Amino acid sequence: MIYLGRTHKEKQAIIKEACVSASHVVIFHGSKTPEVYEASCPIEYRAWDDIIMYKYFYRLLQEITSDSVIILDEIMRTQDRNCLTYNCLLHYIRKAERCLVFQYFPIIDDVENFCILADMVSCGRTRGTNYAALRGIVADVVRRDYQIIEQPVGITDADRKTYDKKKAAIFSRPIKDPEALPRQVALVAGDIKAKSCSPESAYVARNARFKRPNILTYKNAPRDAIILDPPVSAIVMHDHLAGGADTPAILYMSTGLPVDKHYIEFYRGIAESMRRIYDDQEK
Amino acid sequence: MTTKKNDSAVQIYTSQSVLDAAQERVAYIFDRYAQIIVSVSGGKDSTVLAHMALAEAHRRNRRIGLFFLDEEVVYESTIEQIRYLMGLYPENTIKMWLQVEFALTNATSTEEGQLICWEGGKHKIWMRPKEPDSIQHPPWDRDKETVRNKTKGFGFYDALDNFENTRSDTAFLCGIRAIESMHRWRACARNICSAGVHWGTNRKRGNVTLYPLYDWNFTDIWRYIYENKLRYSKIYDWQHQIGLGLNEIRVSSLIHEKSFKALVELPKFEPKTYDRLCKRLKGIRWGNEYGKDAKVMRCRKLPDNFESWLKYRDFLLLTYADEAKKPIFERRFSRQLNNNYVARQQCRQLVLNDYENNLPIDNQEDPLIKRIEYWRSVL
């Protein structure tokens, strides 16, 4: 079963109930450090990086039996549905008869990402099927629609000129990966926005370049911190927002510069895709 | 195991197993053709096909040809496998082990860009002596010999074509599988060679090439080998042991532009074969050292001392060692776009000495530029 939008406390209750008759529980977690749960039998925690390692793979394939329960805790870390890690997980899941999948948000940035979760609960039977053709995958849903709330920041003509100049400099350098361009330009906009930060509010930036106590990074910022720089990927944004019982919102500092417009549209698009999945599940 | 029809790009599962379907196809071939020749390479697929055809020949008390075009520079395990197949049902087998001179691309050296297999006068450095019962002289009329491209010389496919032209109304069986690549899928699916048979191609003189295993998967092949206790090339075990992926586990020639990576592992698997190969041909040690290097033979990363793939391509062309082959590249490149995307592929052709154009170039505008322009307009 796929459980969407659950808090730690709710996950704990589900795990306790599901593992009553289990002999062995293996929790594969996407986060670097595991969230700890209790069960009536021993629990083994394996991080994302461990999943593909020979030293765990063959041992786990021997140890996992039909009495085992596999728990995938926030395991969606890449959009590549056929990646080695997901393939290894499927090998583990096929050996056990029960698999619980916990994911706070149902996608990374595309509606097709939901198929990764579907593959896990169907033991791979849905592989090769796209979202539109997905049938019979029922998730237990707690909706986590997020909103993008723009916090306008005034900028001067000089700021706009600085932005254009720095953007031109970025585009004039040799470019190996064009997909890194918006991330680089977003830092230029972040530098402009930082001038308007108030000392009373908490902000979150891509890195610690501002060296101010109220401008934190995605590793340690509170969920309600105002977004100064967008993170490098939607996964980081979702890690930042996930876990709470309330519906989070993205408070985005917006200068009106094109890069901010791009990111606001990008996250609105993700929110729209999520709504589609929630609505489909509620039908 | 289930059979899949290849009338579209999608595999469609039916209730019949691929084994039953292939055996039906082989039976049909025996009913329809008096002369049957199975092409073998020593790999797993041709092992399965040869066994299946020989078993049918044995049941019907018939004799079929087992054809092996010996490239000389192959694994010793491949030769052992061919000997095994030739001796599997000797009373039903007509040995067609062809050991004649033909040119093969050597991707590891521009100085010695071609190997002339079984070249006369060089028997002292041949990889091994010729087989006593092999076909050692071209069995076709030399005056009518066909060559696809005279600049490239008499090559592997010319040897195949000319051998095929010595026969008529013969079914040539080949172990290719559609799932292996889009090229192979197309080869299996594009033609209908006779009523109801879409897994074959019509050839000259009433000959036909047929692919009875066209819908088999990798796992079907290994299951057949296991269930029939067939011997297979040891190379597969060694490749599996060192952790090569399923798509990399293959047995082929050792030096051409698609197989040179095998040289990296060769000293570990067959040190004596490697040693003989080093004496036989130039560039082998280089292929062994750099066969999987992203900046050298794979041409994935631009070497540090070049600003762009265009400049690297120009340098490679300027310093290309074989003056006779240089105009082939110059003519080809002059018809292609001049951007970094195309230039990277051209570098690969030059580095791998691919004068035959076996690594076709995707001649299109650089997709990187399109993405950069997109981001320039959005940001």
Side-chain angles (χ1 to χ4, degrees), chain B residues 50-74:
Chain B
H51 180 262
M52 203 179 276
L54 283 167
E56 186 68 21
H58 188 70
R59 268 194 292 277
R60 297 181 185 226
N61 197 23
R62 283 188 40 189
R63 294 182 81 214
I64 60 169
L66 278 198
F67 173 71
F68 175 58
L69 177 56
D70 195 336
E71 293 171 88
E72 191 194 333
V73 284
V74 292

Side-chain angles (χ1 to χ4, degrees), chain B residues 169-221:
Chain B
D169 300 318
T170 304
F172 287 87
L173 272 54
C174 180
I176 67 169
R177 294 181 292 115
I179 197 90
E180 288 183 287
S181 70
M182 287 308 282
H183 279 298
R184 293 199 169 185
W185 171 78
R186 194 166 163 266
C188 294
R190 70 181 162 175
N191 300 312
I192 291 179
C193 71
S194 63
V197 176
H198 53 88
W199 34 275
T201 311
N202 282 328
R203 312 285 293 179
K204 289 177 192 166
R205 306 164 66 89
N207 293 333
V208 61
T209 307
L210 299 167
Y211 318 110
L213 305 182
Y214 80 93
D215 56 355
W216 285 45
N217 274 338
F218 175 84
T219 44
D220 300 326
I221 294 286

Side-chain angles (χ1 to χ4, degrees), chain B residues 341-361:
Chain B
Y341 178 73
V342 173
R344 188 192 71 78
Q345 301 171 73
Q346 291 169 339
C347 288
R348 189 170 58 148
Q349 285 200 335
L350 287 162
V351 167
L352 298 181
N353 200 19
D354 182 23
Y355 54 89
E356 289 182 290
N357 206 15
N358 286 331
L359 304 167
I361 285 175

Side-chain angles (χ1 to χ4, degrees), chain A residues 54 163 167-168 171-172 175-183 185 258-259 262-263, chain B residues 240-244 302 307 367-379:
Chain A
Y54 283 135
Y163 173 84
K167 179 187 145 187
F171 277 83
S172 66
I175 298 164
K176 280 190 179 173
D177 177 14
E179 304 314 309
L181 288 167
R183 301 201 292 267
V185 175
V259 68
H262 161 72
Y263 274 105
Chain B
H240 179 65
Q241 278 172 1
I242 63 162
L244 290 185
L302 183 67
E307 282 173 25
L368 207 70
I369 302 291
K370 274 187 198 167
R371 276 313 275 172
I372 292 169
E373 287 314 311
Y374 167 78
W375 284 121
R376 200 191 297 275
S377 65
V378 167
L379 303 174

Side-chain angles (χ1 to χ4, degrees), chain A residues 116-127:
Chain A
I116 294 167
L117 306 180
D119 290 346
M120 297 299 156
V121 290
S122 69
C123 294
R125 282 189 293 276
T126 52
R127 295 191 104 183

